[in-house]
């Protein structure tokens, strides 16, 4: 569902100056400015939920971080580092009991950022649906080959069940995907949303490219993770 | 620190010097030089030079520069910092960070045609002053016709000659005194002197002024620059003409001599000689009797 630029400004109370400043700073991705023909020429629309959530997040965080820092927090690029099993144990959203299963599923002890996001998503999936360790290992084994190819977090993982097992499909956010209607979709993981929340919460722990920071954030770990970017 | 040095012919230099006058090829490594005047090629590595005036090709790797003016091609590798860099020749940089970056020598507007052609007599096909690589500067001063097809992060852009970009021009403050052509201009503050050959599809920001008259002198004077305001007076005195912009969206808008499809903003002033299809405003609007506006909507 789309929202027009005028309605966006009215609904959020932001000015043109703010909107375009945030666009310049990379806080609002270029691809969210969708131009559509209108009888006055062209009108710009945005993906409604995404832009409203993003503006809410910017408004709530802009007093705490500079726009440059916010761009890094909210940007969908992949963090350039590997995570060890010790790192995984710091991440509250990863079920500690599942770490051996993830190690087995991925067949290694250090993980890419995208793989960490998958672990967070699968931990939540297990919590909600009570999937077995074997089923989680199978999902990881099925997806691990693609994790290395992914160069951004703008991907969605859809999980569906069939014959007492779970299967996954992985696709880019903007892509149109048509899944066999007979398959029962049980869970959807938005890597971009997980990434935004993860970066904010663990930015101190994992030093997400905040090169020149001289500010202190005391309550990172306690930050309320209610945002949905 | 060593004293002054006169160099003729090829020479390798290392150490601290107050002033070097050179004619011939120089190789400089691990040096700290206050002033260097040179005619000939220079290869500089891991050095600091406070003031450099050179004619000839310059190669630099991991160099700290102060006030630099070079007539000749420049190739910079590694991280290079400069206070003011004036390049009168091709400039290639892996990562150049400056306070002020200028792409040509000062010339009076009377002789501007020579600069705009961007060619050297006797070698008509070759344009000089091409930039490639990554450039970061507080202020970029455009003193020759330029097509932006390099990576940049400029806070301020001051353009005295034609500025063209196939993509968006993004900066905090843009002052365009000559032609400007871009798909999009996104800047907090924009001043454009209207010119019939200028064309912009989307012009957006906080405050946008398209006017023959230049009133933002105080703001302009506060910007870091290599030349002062008086140098721009001659180009500001040249006549202007009606320019085209498809859409303008900003909080404060003042336009004259403009043809546009849509102007949308909070406080809008439509001055003389404007032909605007549709104006949307949220706070205030003034329309000159010498302007034609097809539709006005309060939003």
């Amino acid at each position: 569902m789309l929202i027009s630029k005028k309605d966006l400004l009215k609904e959020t109370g932001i000015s043109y100056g703010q909107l375009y400043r945030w666009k310049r700073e990379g806080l609002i991705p270029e691809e969210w400015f969708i131009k559509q023909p209108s009888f006055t020429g062209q009108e710009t629309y945005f993906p409604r939920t995404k832009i409203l959530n993003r503006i809410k997040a910017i408004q709530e965080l802009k007093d705490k971080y500079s726009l440059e820092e916010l761009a890094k927090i909210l940007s969908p690029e992949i963090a350039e580092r590997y995570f060890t099993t010790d790192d995984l144990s710091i991440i509250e959203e990863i079920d500690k009991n599942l770490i051996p299963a993830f190690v087995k599923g991925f067949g290694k002890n250090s993980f890419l950022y995208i793989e960490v996001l998958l672990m967070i998503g699968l931990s939540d999936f297990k919590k909600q649906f009570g999937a077995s360790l074997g089923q989680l290992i199978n999902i990881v084994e099925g997806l691990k080959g693609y994790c290395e190819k992914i160069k951004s977090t703008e991907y969605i993982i859809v999980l569906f069940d069939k014959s007492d097992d779970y299967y996954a499909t992985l696709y880019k956010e903007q892509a149109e995907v048509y899944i066999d209607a007979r398959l029962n979709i049980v869970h959807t993981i938005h890597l971009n949303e997980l990434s935004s929340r993860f970066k904010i919460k663990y930015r101190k722990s994992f030093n997400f490219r905040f090169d020149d920071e001289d500010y202190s954030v005391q309550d990172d770990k306690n930050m309320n993770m209610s945002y949905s970017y | 620190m060593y004293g002054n040095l006169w160099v003729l012919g090829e020479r390798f230099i290392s150490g601290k010097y107050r002033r070097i006058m050179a004619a011939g090829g120089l190789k400089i490594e691990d040096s700290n030089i206050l002033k260097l005047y040179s005619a000939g090629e220079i290869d500089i590595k891991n050095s600091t030079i406070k003031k450099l005036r050179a004619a000839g090709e310059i190669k630099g790797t991991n160099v700290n520069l102060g006030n630099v003016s070079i007539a000749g091609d420049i190739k910079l590798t590694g991280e290079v910092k400069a206070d003011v860099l004036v390049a009168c020749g091709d400039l290639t940089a892996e990562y150049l960070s400056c306070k002020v970056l200028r792409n040509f020598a000062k010339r009076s507007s009377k002789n501007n045609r020579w600069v705009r052609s961007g060619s050297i007599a006797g070698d008509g096909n070759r344009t000089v002053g091409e930039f490639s690589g990554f450039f970061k500067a507080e202020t970029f001063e455009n003193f020759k016709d330029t097509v932006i097809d390099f990576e940049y992060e400029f806070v301020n852009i001051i353009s005295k000659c034609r500025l063209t970009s196939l993509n968006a021009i993004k900066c905090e403050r843009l002052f365009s005194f000559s032609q400007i052509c871009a798909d999009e201009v996104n800047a907090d503050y924009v001043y454009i002197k209207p010119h019939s050959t200028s064309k912009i599809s989307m012009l957006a920001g906080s405050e946008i002024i398209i006017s023959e008259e230049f009133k933002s002198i105080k703001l302009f004077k506060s910007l870091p620059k290599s030349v002062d305001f008086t140098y721009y007076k001659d180009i500001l005195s040249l006549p202007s003409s009606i320019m085209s912009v498809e859409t303008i969206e900003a909080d404060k808008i003042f336009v004259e001599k403009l043809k546009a499809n849509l102007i949308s903003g909070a406080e809008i002033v439509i001055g003389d000689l404007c032909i605007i299809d549709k104006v949307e405003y949220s706070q205030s609007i003034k329309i000159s009797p010498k302007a034609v506006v097809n539709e006005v909507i309060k939003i």
Side-chain angles (χ1 to χ4, degrees):
Chain A
M1 198 174 165
L2 300 175
I3 183 170
S4 73
K5 196 186 289 171
K6 276 192 274 303
D7 289 342
L8 176 73
L9 265 51
K10 206 179 277 181
E11 202 161 314
T12 58
I14 63 167
S15 65
Y16 277 124
Q18 281 174 305
L19 179 71
Y20 285 106
R21 187 175 303 122
W22 295 343
K23 185 186 180 191
R24 279 200 304 279
E25 295 287 341
L27 293 169
I28 300 173
E30 298 262 353
E31 55 270 24
W32 289 8
F33 289 71
I34 301 161
K35 285 179 181 166
Q36 291 195 348
S38 71
F39 54 89
T40 54
Q42 275 191 331
E43 194 153 352
T44 305
Y45 291 85
F46 301 87
R48 188 184 171 87
T49 313
K50 278 184 180 178
I51 190 79
L52 290 175
N53 284 336
R54 179 59 61 92
I55 287 172
K56 188 181 165 201
I58 294 166
Q59 286 174 326
E60 287 179 21
L61 295 170
K62 68 182 168 62
D63 295 334
K64 199 164 187 175
Y65 303 99
S66 70
L67 292 183
E68 203 177 328
E69 287 156 7
L70 267 181
K72 286 174 182 168
I73 290 169
L74 300 172
S75 66
E77 89 288 341
I78 294 225
E80 294 164 349
R81 62 160 289 164
Y82 281 91
F83 294 76
T84 64
T85 46
D86 287 341
D87 291 330
L88 299 185
S89 62
I90 299 171
I91 302 165
E92 288 172 0
E93 288 75 17
I94 293 179
D95 186 336
K96 304 299 169 285
N97 299 320
L98 298 182
I99 292 175
F102 292 139
V103 170
K104 191 177 176 192
F106 283 111
K108 57 184 181 179
N109 287 301
S110 64
F111 306 94
L112 298 166
Y113 180 57
I114 210 85
E115 292 166 344
V116 171
L117 295 179
L118 177 61
M119 289 181 218
I120 293 171
L122 290 179
S123 296
D124 184 43
F125 174 65
K126 186 185 184 312
K127 202 170 153 186
Q128 287 189 48
F129 298 91
S132 69
L133 288 183
Q135 287 170 328
L136 291 177
I137 291 170
N138 286 345
I139 295 170
V140 169
E141 283 178 339
L143 289 176
K144 68 179 180 186
Y146 305 114
C147 289
E148 289 175 355
K149 293 177 185 169
I150 291 176
K151 299 294 176 209
S152 87
T153 55
E154 288 188 314
Y155 280 82
I156 292 170
I157 297 169
V158 170
L159 295 164
F160 38 85
D161 60 354
K162 188 173 179 352
S163 311
D164 297 319
D165 208 344
Y166 293 101
Y167 295 85
T169 187
L170 174 69
Y171 60 91
K172 225 168 175 186
E173 269 191 7
Q174 306 293 337
E176 285 186 17
V177 178
Y178 305 100
I179 295 170
D180 191 323
R182 291 168 301 166
L183 292 171
N184 178 35
I185 293 172
V186 289
H187 194 54
T188 306
I189 302 168
H190 294 265
L191 294 182
N192 218 1
E193 289 181 16
L194 288 181
S195 175
S196 299
R197 282 183 270 166
F198 183 76
K199 281 183 172 182
I200 292 169
K201 185 169 178 181
Y202 295 104
R203 53 169 287 278
K204 278 240 152 175
S205 310
F206 297 116
N207 194 24
F208 280 110
R209 291 216 235 155
F210 288 83
D211 304 323
D212 302 309
E213 63 185 343
D214 54 7
Y215 46 83
S216 61
V217 179
Q218 303 298 329
D219 57 347
D220 274 346
K221 285 231 157 188
N222 301 320
M223 185 177 276
N224 186 346
M225 288 181 67
S226 61
Y227 303 116
S228 172
Y229 303 121
Chain B
M1 179 175 282
Y2 304 112
N4 302 334
L5 188 67
W6 287 79
V7 180
L8 289 171
E10 304 281 315
R11 183 79 176 256
F12 175 82
I13 288 170
S14 183
K16 293 180 178 179
Y17 293 88
R18 189 169 292 125
R19 190 171 69 169
I20 297 174
M21 310 280 272
L26 285 182
K27 277 196 170 181
I28 300 169
E29 273 188 38
D30 303 317
S31 295
N32 194 330
I33 300 163
L34 284 183
K35 291 176 186 175
L36 170 60
Y37 301 89
S38 165
E41 291 180 10
I42 315 176
D43 191 347
I44 315 163
K45 282 179 186 157
N46 307 320
S47 298
T48 298
I49 301 172
K50 290 280 180 202
K51 185 177 178 180
L52 172 61
R53 297 286 180 270
E57 192 180 310
I58 308 291
K59 287 180 185 168
T61 307
N62 302 324
V63 186
N64 268 313
L65 301 166
N67 192 314
V68 176
S69 188
I70 294 163
D73 293 346
I74 308 166
K75 286 179 185 165
L76 304 172
T77 48
E79 187 178 351
V80 175
K81 288 181 180 173
D83 191 18
V84 177
L85 194 146
V86 177
C88 306
D90 292 350
L91 173 57
T92 306
E94 261 182 1
Y95 183 97
L96 171 63
S97 170
C98 304
K99 194 171 179 186
V100 178
L101 176 65
R102 199 173 89 205
N103 63 358
F104 217 88
K106 274 201 299 185
R107 297 191 61 89
S108 79
S109 292
K110 286 171 190 167
N111 298 323
N112 224 17
R113 186 178 291 276
W114 186 85
V115 180
R116 282 185 186 151
S117 72
S119 62
I120 298 171
D123 186 7
N125 293 326
R126 184 175 176 273
T127 51
V128 292
E130 298 292 316
F131 280 20
S132 62
F134 178 81
F135 305 91
K136 189 174 180 177
E138 265 189 68
T139 302
F140 169 59
E141 294 172 317
N142 180 41
F143 275 33
K144 66 171 277 292
D145 287 1
T146 297
V147 177
I148 299 178
D149 58 358
F150 48 84
E151 284 184 78
Y152 69 91
E153 274 179 31
F154 299 141
V155 179
N156 310 301
I157 296 175
I158 300 171
S159 182
K160 195 176 184 289
C161 292
R162 187 181 176 88
L163 190 64
T164 308
S165 176
L166 298 175
N167 303 306
I169 296 174
K170 290 180 185 176
C171 61
E172 286 306 299
R173 285 167 286 271
L174 168 72
F175 295 87
S176 173
F177 302 122
S178 185
Q179 297 111 304
I180 179 165
C181 293
D183 186 47
E184 181 183 329
V185 172
N186 180 350
D188 201 54
Y189 181 94
V190 177
Y191 167 80
I192 294 172
K193 186 180 164 84
H195 199 289
S196 60
T197 54
S198 292
K199 204 165 187 181
I200 298 168
S201 301
M202 176 74 181
L203 181 50
S206 291
E207 187 171 355
I208 288 166
I209 298 166
I210 295 174
S211 172
E212 189 167 39
E213 202 178 345
F214 183 60
K215 290 178 179 173
S216 318
I217 296 166
K218 198 176 170 187
L219 172 66
F220 188 76
K221 281 182 175 175
S222 71
L223 306 181
K225 296 184 291 297
S226 65
V227 289
D228 62 32
F229 175 65
T230 51
Y231 177 66
Y232 292 92
K233 280 186 176 171
D234 55 354
I235 194 155
L236 279 164
S237 66
L238 294 175
S240 60
S241 47
I242 294 173
M243 72 173 284
S244 296
V245 178
E246 280 178 30
T247 304
I248 300 177
E249 289 182 346
D251 302 325
K252 285 179 81 173
I253 299 166
F254 178 91
V255 290
E256 284 175 340
K257 292 194 172 180
L258 176 73
K259 187 175 181 300
N261 293 343
L262 173 67
I263 293 181
S264 182
E267 298 168 41
I268 300 174
V269 178
I270 309 288
D272 295 350
L273 302 178
C274 287
I275 306 165
I276 316 292
D277 194 42
K278 187 178 178 182
V279 178
E280 298 171 342
Y281 73 99
S282 61
Q283 287 174 25
S284 66
I285 186 153
K286 281 182 190 168
I287 299 173
S288 160
K290 291 180 187 169
V292 178
V293 178
N294 189 31
E295 189 182 4
V296 179
I297 298 172
K298 170 108 168 70
I299 52 172

